[in-house]
Amino acid sequence: MEFEIRLSGAVEVRAADERSDLGSTKTRITLASLAWDAGRTVSVDTLIHRIWDDHPPGKPREALHTHVSRIRAALRIAGEDAPRIASRTNSYVMYVDPDRVDLRCYTSCVEQARSLRASGDGEAALRLLDRADRCWHGEPLAGINGSWAEHLRATVGETRLAAAMTRAEILLGEGRFTDAVPVLLPLAADHPLDEALAERLAVALYGSNRTAEATRLLQRTRQRVVRDIGLDAGRGLHRVHQGILSGTPAGALFRQEGGEGVHPARPTRQPPDNLPRDIPWIGRRDEVRQLTSALCEGQGASAVVVTVEAIDGMPGVGKTSLVTHVAHRLRERFPDGRLFVSLGGGSPDRTATSPDRALTELLRLLGTESQELPHKTDELIALWRTAARDRRMLVILDDAISSEQVAPLLPGASPTAVIVTSRRRLPGLPGVRPLSLNVLPPHDAVALFTRRLGARGGVDEADVADIVRICGYLPLAIEIAASRLLARPSWTTADLLRQLRRARLAQLHDGERAMTHVFSLSYRALTPEQQLVFRRIGLHTGIEFDACAVAALTGLTGDAAERVLEELQTHHLVIEKSPYRFTMHDLLRGYARSLVETGDSDSAEDSRQAVRRLMDHYVQAADRADRLAYPVRSRIDIGVESPELTGPELADAHAAEQWLITERANLLNTLDWLAEHGTSRQLACGVHVLVGFLEMEGHLVTAEPLLRRAVAHWQTAGDSAAQVRALLDLSSVYNHSARYAEGISVANEALELARTVGDLRLESECIHQLSITLWQTGQFKQVRTLQQHSLNLLTQIDDKRQAARSRNMLGIAHLHLGENQEALECFSMALADFTELGDGRGRYSALNNIASLSERMGDTETAEHAYREAISVAEGMGYRREKATLHMNLASVLDARGNTEEALSIYEQVLPVLREVGDRRAEAIALNGTGRAHRTAGRAEEALPWHVSALSVIRRIHAASEEADVLYDLALTERATGRMLQAVAHMEESLAVSKRLGAPVEEARAARSLAEMRGVLAQRR
């Protein structure tokens, strides 16, 4: 008879249409205490505390026994299925399936749903959340008071919040923003300080076109956090708020920090002050604070060392505005004058203010008469330093061109402070403290534009965010854009945005200023060689680049390209983001591209040839790197390298792998360019070169369609050997993305074609690829047969490396078929050959397999040692997916050896990596291992969601070889939580899968456990 113990709403027992009469509140809380811990032993002392808090009756044990007797009587309405309450020494336990207890079923469903959502099965997670909702009948333990009842309500309340958040995250991920709002909105009032809830609700409101409500919610939450906690809100709230302001699509936003002393006598005349006017200030809080603090250091009358601050940055970044603003703020601290001198570093005629002329201007500002000024430079310097010796002044030397220009203008031993601005860095100045300005943060850029507009209609927040983004968050560009809008009263922000999207650089002008003019001043100050490099960078298809790429674009040598990049960095026309890796501001890149497009210095053919050389550079460099990083691949000859192209220096496999990772974005851009502009052969060669990298880094979606085009090209070209290799590449991609049926089909096609070619080595490679997929789908006997045939082929051609790979795979087949001695012989021979050949990747693969065999044979000490050795070999090689897999395997044996917490820590680290690279099979193994470790630690209820999630992944990818293991562990966990019927059902499934696969070890294991479970069930009945 179906029955249910309800703890949500009124505590009661229901069977069919009947309800039990539990009587008193104390009996109901006793039932709740036992049912909440269904299947777990609860001590008498714990029960007494839950029922009576700290005020038990005179004979609490007798009273407790009375309540238990009433519960047993009430449970009889369930008939033969009635739960049994066993009395033990100083404890009780209720034997009942936890899923028959509504709150236990509710919390279990929610935890399983959260795990499924994390593994990507949102549909199954929603089904579980719907089931959880059907278990909910109201406030837990309604009408029951006491500390334990309150604690239970609080615990379940957190689960309710987690359920709503999980459901909302799934809906948000599917773009169902309107559906997510009613899930989250009722919770906002009860959790006003929950920033994660506020973030998701704001995204849902924003995605439902309720932007004003979203921004008010974020502002209200931030204010409450500051008021109630005393800390600023976290980055998440700021990120969401900024994303809304910048018009980021809601979907992307969801998926996506002493005394003053006595001064000398002052001159009676008014101190000089020719500072430009200050402007209402926005942002740059850290820079203002740093500069202010520096200028206020050591300002006593005895100060004898001049303070020199050098502010550098690209054109238009706001250097002059910053120092002017700081100078106005510190006006009172420099009572002897504020002097501003332009040094003309950006003059269009490339002439700059000479030191003599600047010194003359400084002295005149101090009141020196013309006839008193000397004519020699040394005398001007001496007079300036004498005049500044006892004065506390602030001197701004704006737009300097070089250190040599500035050095004579420094006042020497004086309390005077100097700020120098320049478009280039100024090494060599004594005592200089440089500060490089970057563009504004997005929220400050929006505030600058809004402040500049003032009160004006036709302003849309999302439009403003897009406008400042198109301006590259560059202050001058933002100022010009705002001025342009102010000059057109009939325009709205949408009109300005439309113009900027059409031609942003050309539209960034007002009546007096233009960004192209500002940039041209810096460009015209360059040498012809520097100008060439600047222009050609505009043709680069990526964001970051190195000297080798610039050499390809320009025809310069690598050394010359590196030198010019350093010079452009000094001019702030490129940025070195990391050692030897450069980038360029978007507006500067657009300006560089516009110089190429005008054709004044570069013809269209020059530009085409430059881009072709860049693509050739990346493909050829990637081919060299790939041959080092993945030496065992069967390769297509892509042609002779161009000797004029400068390639990276790659000393070994690790350096090659790191280069591939560093150039990840550029290599993907190269494939995009080849797919759109290259010939079919160029694309086929390019994707073949990069497929190993694409697999290891998880770019499988990118690889598949390009590989299909490659297969078609080689077929049309009549190159059967190349077609076989392209099919192998495609099969490998299918295998890594867990599309096993397609992988087997393509590998079989490759094998049939290879046999017509008559290339034994190529035939063996096809067998190897086919075997990998067959192994992962549990077809071990077929793998054994294929690899034995492959070894015969390789013996004929004496290929030791391929033979070692074949023995390694043959050992895996023996391992799964329970042929342990044969497996050990294969792995040992493979390891010896890989070691002799210096094949690190093969070596750690063989070690991993030896460890797996040892673990199966119960020798966990040897297994741990072998796994750690494999990890040590792989550590310097950089294969993310394979290193994560090795660590995952180590976690399994650590759990078996009792180091459960260390195992859980490793699983936590590797899961995100496996998900990122798209290895669903390994992800499922890690999920299952995490569940097993929790069960080992005595946390079976916590383990259950991990196994459920693992089973969901395994069944989606049809990885039969792992299904038996997951079902086995799930059944053991269900047994540990008291869910015996489910445990028996899943163990029966595990047994059936093991029989189908022909895996005798797994079959025997499942049969033993199933017999034990059936025996326990029989005893309970």
Side-chain angles (χ1 to χ4, degrees):
M1 179 186 297
E2 288 295 321
F3 78 96
E4 178 186 26
I5 300 176
R6 288 193 178 180
L7 304 186
S8 64
V11 176
E12 59 187 8
V13 180
R14 289 193 173 203
D17 296 327
E18 293 186 69
R19 298 184 186 182
S20 64
D21 181 13
L22 290 167
S24 73
T25 299
K26 299 302 183 186
T27 302
R28 287 188 286 123
I29 196 171
T30 304
L31 172 62
S33 297
L34 291 169
W36 178 250
D37 281 303
R40 300 188 288 246
T41 300
V42 187
S43 71
V44 168
D45 290 340
T46 296
L47 288 169
I48 290 172
H49 176 73
R50 289 179 179 179
I51 298 166
W52 290 286
D53 280 341
D54 296 326
H55 307 288
K59 296 181 178 180
R61 291 176 179 266
E62 289 82 348
L64 173 61
H65 179 73
T66 299
H67 292 305
V68 171
S69 297
R70 291 175 184 170
I71 293 168
R72 285 174 173 145
L75 291 173
R76 290 178 191 146
I77 66 170
E80 294 181 355
D81 294 329
R84 182 169 65 90
I85 301 177
S87 175
R88 298 176 179 175
T89 304
N90 293 318
S91 64
Y92 288 90
V93 59
M94 176 184 282
Y95 290 108
V96 62
D97 187 329
D99 286 348
R100 295 293 182 94
V101 182
D102 63 350
L103 280 189
R104 284 289 297 278
C105 182
Y106 176 83
T107 56
S108 178
C109 286
V110 171
E111 290 306 313
Q112 291 177 47
R114 294 177 70 188
S115 185
L116 285 169
R117 190 256 164 183
S119 66
D121 196 347
E123 183 179 347
L126 286 176
R127 287 198 298 270
L128 276 169
L129 291 173
D130 290 340
R131 182 185 174 196
D133 287 345
R134 291 193 293 273
C135 295
W136 185 260
H137 307 106
E139 180 188 45
L141 278 57
I144 296 178
N145 297 320
S147 59
W148 180 73
E150 291 299 329
H151 172 73
L152 181 63
R153 281 191 278 269
T155 299
V156 177
E158 291 298 318
T159 305
R160 289 280 285 171
L161 176 61
M165 293 283 276
T166 302
R167 183 183 292 275
E169 286 167 354
I170 295 169
L171 295 173
L172 291 171
E174 295 175 352
R176 297 163 60 184
F177 304 106
T178 303
D179 292 338
V181 171
V183 175
L184 296 172
L185 195 57
L187 299 170
D190 294 332
H191 303 275
L193 299 177
D194 192 318
E195 296 183 39
L197 172 61
E199 289 171 31
R200 286 153 181 78
L201 178 53
V203 172
L205 290 167
Y206 172 55
S208 304
N209 295 319
R210 297 162 67 174
T211 303
E213 291 178 69
T215 54
R216 283 198 298 271
L217 169 68
L218 292 168
Q219 291 168 351
R220 185 169 62 247
T221 304
R222 290 169 67 178
Q223 291 167 358
R224 285 291 298 270
V225 170
V226 172
R227 187 188 70 193
D228 295 358
I229 300 178
L231 297 173
D232 193 11
R235 293 182 179 178
L237 284 181
H238 290 280
R239 180 186 61 81
V240 172
H241 198 181
Q242 185 53 51
I244 292 174
L245 292 177
S246 63
T248 303
L253 190 56
F254 174 64
R255 298 184 293 272
Q256 317 122 1
E257 287 207 311
E260 292 293 331
V262 179
H263 306 302
R266 309 289 183 215
T268 56
R269 69 184 296 272
Q270 187 72 18
D273 188 345
N274 68 330
L275 290 177
R277 69 178 182 87
D278 197 6
I279 58 174
W281 193 248
I282 296 292
R284 298 245 188 254
R285 288 172 287 276
D286 290 341
E287 292 89 343
V288 169
R289 188 182 307 113
Q290 178 180 340
L291 195 52
T292 300
S293 175
L295 292 171
C296 292
E297 290 177 358
Q299 287 190 358
S302 60
V304 294
V305 179
V306 66
T307 300
V308 182
E309 302 295 323
I311 316 298
D312 54 67
M314 67 176 288
V317 80
K319 303 179 291 294
T320 302
S321 296
L322 172 65
V323 299
T324 300
H325 174 68
V326 169
H328 280 283
R329 288 186 60 172
L330 299 179
R331 181 184 298 271
E332 300 305 318
R333 288 186 172 271
F334 296 97
D336 296 326
R338 282 74 52 191
L339 312 182
F340 183 96
V341 176
S342 175
L343 299 183
S347 299
D349 58 1
R350 296 183 59 192
T351 62
T353 303
S354 66
D356 286 2
R357 181 178 169 187
L359 287 166
T360 298
E361 184 173 351
L362 286 167
L363 289 166
R364 282 179 174 169
L365 286 170
L366 291 178
T368 307
E369 299 296 335
S370 299
Q371 61 271 22
E372 298 175 2
L373 291 171
H375 299 289
K376 294 182 179 180
T377 302
D378 290 345
E379 294 175 352
L380 283 168
I381 293 172
L383 182 59
W384 160 240
R385 292 181 176 175
T386 299
R389 181 178 298 127
D390 295 325
R391 285 184 167 94
R392 189 191 300 173
M393 301 181 293
L394 178 59
V395 177
I396 297 174
L397 303 175
D398 189 53
D399 209 5
I401 195 170
S402 66
S403 299
E404 292 74 19
Q405 182 191 32
V406 172
L409 310 181
L410 300 182
S414 168
T416 289
V418 178
I419 309 177
V420 184
T421 74
S422 179
R423 297 187 182 195
R424 65 194 72 183
R425 290 182 173 86
L426 301 175
L429 288 178
V432 69
R433 293 184 292 191
L435 172 63
S436 295
L437 285 192
N438 205 338
V439 296
L440 291 172
H443 59 277
D444 284 346
V446 169
L448 176 61
F449 185 87
T450 305
R451 173 74 67 86
R452 182 71 178 85
L453 287 184
R456 175 195 171 98
V459 176
D460 179 83
E461 291 181 357
D463 289 343
V464 172
D466 274 344
I467 289 168
V468 299
R469 178 182 54 77
I470 290 173
C471 290
Y473 308 113
L474 190 66
L476 180 57
I478 295 167
E479 284 273 350
I480 292 174
S483 296
R484 184 156 168 71
L485 184 57
L486 287 170
R488 306 293 291 268
S490 63
W491 279 17
T492 65
T493 49
D495 296 313
L496 176 61
L497 181 58
R498 193 158 41 247
Q499 293 296 318
L500 291 174
R501 282 174 173 163
R502 182 173 59 84
R504 63 173 168 179
L505 195 57
Q507 293 296 322
L508 285 174
H509 65 86
D510 56 19
E512 300 176 353
R513 299 168 296 179
M515 286 308 304
T516 52
H517 175 68
V518 174
F519 291 158
S520 71
L521 298 181
S522 293
Y523 176 72
R524 290 159 62 183
L526 303 176
T527 66
E529 187 179 52
Q530 292 167 346
Q531 290 179 345
L532 171 67
V533 171
F534 179 81
R535 292 194 309 273
R536 294 291 174 82
I537 289 172
L539 295 173
H540 195 280
T541 54
I543 301 301
E544 291 187 16
F545 47 88
D546 63 5
C548 293
V550 171
L553 283 167
T554 59
L556 296 174
T557 65
D559 290 341
E562 186 172 346
R563 171 180 51 78
V564 176
L565 282 171
E566 290 179 3
E567 294 165 356
L568 291 179
Q569 182 189 13
T570 300
H571 286 266
H572 282 283
L573 295 176
V574 298
I575 304 163
E576 190 172 17
K577 295 190 67 175
S578 59
Y580 313 110
R581 302 286 299 172
F582 297 86
T583 188
M584 181 183 277
H585 187 273
D586 285 350
L587 289 179
L588 278 171
R589 188 186 300 273
Y591 176 68
R593 186 177 291 273
S594 72
L595 293 173
V596 173
E597 290 170 352
T598 58
D600 291 343
S601 302
D602 302 270
S603 68
E605 183 58 26
D606 289 338
S607 300
R608 281 192 292 270
Q609 289 297 332
V611 175
R612 287 194 191 102
R613 285 197 304 270
L614 179 68
M615 297 302 113
D616 288 344
H617 156 70
Y618 280 123
V619 171
Q620 292 179 14
D623 186 47
R624 291 197 301 275
D626 185 69
R627 289 175 186 274
L628 280 171
Y630 310 104
V632 299
R633 285 185 62 203
S634 181
R635 298 184 179 279
I636 297 170
D637 183 8
I638 68 168
V640 181
E641 291 190 6
S642 301
E644 69 272 12
L645 294 177
T646 302
E649 295 181 5
L650 303 175
D652 51 29
H654 176 65
E657 176 74 7
Q658 289 304 311
W659 183 87
L660 289 167
I661 292 171
T662 300
E663 295 289 357
R664 175 192 296 115
N666 288 327
L667 297 176
L668 291 172
N669 287 336
T670 298
L671 280 180
D672 289 342
W673 188 92
L674 292 173
E676 187 172 351
H677 304 290
T679 66
S680 60
R681 187 184 191 284
Q682 286 175 322
L683 175 62
C685 290
V687 70
H688 171 72
V689 164
L690 291 171
V691 70
F693 160 73
L694 293 171
E695 288 178 17
M696 288 299 175
E697 290 299 304
H699 298 291
L700 303 179
V701 175
T702 299
E704 183 200 346
L706 300 181
L707 283 169
R708 287 189 170 279
R709 290 172 62 177
V711 170
H713 164 76
W714 297 121
Q715 184 176 18
T716 301
D719 190 336
S720 297
Q723 184 182 349
V724 170
R725 291 178 172 90
L727 286 166
L728 288 176
D729 291 339
L730 182 58
S731 176
S732 181
V733 164
Y734 281 140
N735 182 57
H736 282 152
S737 55
R739 294 165 62 179
Y740 298 124
E742 293 160 288
I744 290 172
S745 175
V746 171
N748 273 317
E749 182 183 351
L751 179 57
E752 291 176 12
L753 186 58
R755 284 171 175 161
T756 66
V757 173
D759 184 333
L760 296 183
R761 185 175 283 103
L762 188 57
E763 182 179 345
S764 174
E765 185 65 29
C766 293
I767 290 173
H768 187 80
Q769 179 57 46
L770 177 59
S771 296
I772 291 174
T773 314
L774 291 171
W775 156 54
Q776 292 181 333
T777 54
Q779 302 177 62
F780 308 125
K781 291 182 179 179
Q782 192 172 349
V783 173
R784 181 178 61 188
T785 301
L786 283 169
Q787 288 301 327
Q788 287 169 341
H789 174 64
S790 181
L791 273 174
N792 290 332
L793 295 178
L794 293 168
T795 301
Q796 299 176 42
I797 58 176
D798 193 26
D799 189 327
K800 196 167 188 175
R801 186 189 299 274
Q802 289 293 87
R805 292 175 72 209
S806 183
R807 286 195 182 89
N808 203 28
M809 180 56 68
L810 179 58
I812 291 173
H814 285 311
L815 171 68
H816 286 280
L817 291 170
E819 299 161 354
N820 294 341
Q821 187 57 42
E822 292 88 342
L824 182 58
E825 289 175 4
C826 286
F827 294 147
S828 299
M829 291 178 67
L831 178 60
D833 287 343
F834 285 136
T835 302
E836 181 183 340
L837 293 166
D839 186 338
R841 191 176 182 194
R843 186 167 170 238
Y844 71 65
S845 176
L847 285 166
N848 175 72
N849 293 332
I850 290 172
S852 181
L853 175 62
S854 300
E855 188 176 1
R856 278 174 171 258
M857 295 173 68
D859 186 356
T860 56
E861 182 178 357
T862 299
E864 180 181 351
H865 176 76
Y867 279 135
R868 292 193 183 278
E869 186 178 355
I871 289 170
S872 176
V873 173
E875 193 58 41
M877 303 184 71
Y879 304 111
R880 295 175 65 220
R881 180 177 63 83
E882 295 185 2
K883 286 197 296 186
T885 301
L886 288 172
H887 280 88
M888 175 185 72
N889 294 342
L890 173 63
S892 175
V893 78
L894 287 173
D895 181 31
R897 289 176 60 76
N899 299 326
T900 300
E901 296 307 318
E902 183 181 357
L904 283 170
S905 176
I906 293 174
Y907 282 130
E908 184 179 4
Q909 293 170 34
V910 302
L911 254 174
V913 177
L914 296 172
R915 283 171 171 159
E916 184 180 343
V917 300
D919 192 335
R920 303 310 307 277
R921 174 180 168 273
E923 176 193 344
I925 295 172
L927 288 168
N928 196 55
T930 303
R932 189 167 54 246
H934 279 299
R935 187 178 73 240
T936 302
R939 300 188 290 266
E941 199 71 43
E942 192 173 342
L944 192 60
W946 295 96
H947 295 308
V948 170
S949 185
L951 185 61
S952 172
V953 174
I954 284 296
R955 285 181 166 166
R956 272 181 281 155
I957 64 176
H958 307 292
S961 63
E962 308 302 335
E963 187 175 5
D965 283 340
V966 175
L967 285 165
Y968 177 81
D969 282 312
L970 174 59
L972 292 185
T973 297
E974 287 171 331
R975 174 181 177 176
T977 63
R979 296 171 170 85
M980 288 301 296
L981 292 176
Q982 296 98 312
V984 168
H986 283 131
M987 193 60 75
E988 288 173 341
E989 286 189 74
S990 179
L991 179 60
V993 172
S994 299
K995 287 181 177 179
R996 187 174 74 248
L997 295 177
V1001 175
E1002 287 78 4
E1003 182 181 344
R1005 177 187 65 179
R1008 286 194 304 271
S1009 295
L1010 184 59
E1012 292 174 9
M1013 290 179 184
R1014 286 172 173 165
V1016 172
L1017 270 180
Q1019 290 176 2
R1020 291 189 180 178
R1021 290 173 178 169

